[in-house]
Amino acid sequence: GQYFTPRWVIDMAVKMMNPKEDETIIDTAAGSAGFTVHSIFHVWMDILRDEGKPQSHLFTMEEKPPRCHTYVKEK
């Protein structure tokens, strides 16, 4: 069968890891990409906070700062 990590456990693990903008995220067992997506969102929130921009729901189509795009492309 398939077993997926509960989202609250993913959130806890990401907060504990506290990924930074200059760090690369590697999820070797990226079944649903939960750790990857939540780690990206964690870094994006740090970027938005750093740039003094509002932190809306990150699953929206609103334009993100260039640093967010760069992070996803390079890390």
Side-chain angles (χ1 to χ4, degrees), residues 20-70:
K20 303 293 181 202
E21 187 175 355
D22 63 340
E23 297 175 333
T24 300
I25 298 168
I26 299 172
D27 183 3
T28 57
S32 65
F35 282 98
T36 305
V37 170
H38 284 248
S39 296
I40 288 169
F41 284 177
H42 181 86
V43 172
W44 280 8
M45 285 192 287
D46 287 346
I47 291 170
L48 291 171
R49 217 174 293 122
D50 184 54
E51 293 193 0
K53 299 191 177 188
Q55 298 175 27
S56 66
H57 191 276
L58 297 172
F59 266 125
T60 64
M61 291 296 296
E62 66 189 32
E63 188 62 29
K64 307 294 186 282
R67 284 171 59 192
C68 291
H69 294 281
T70 300

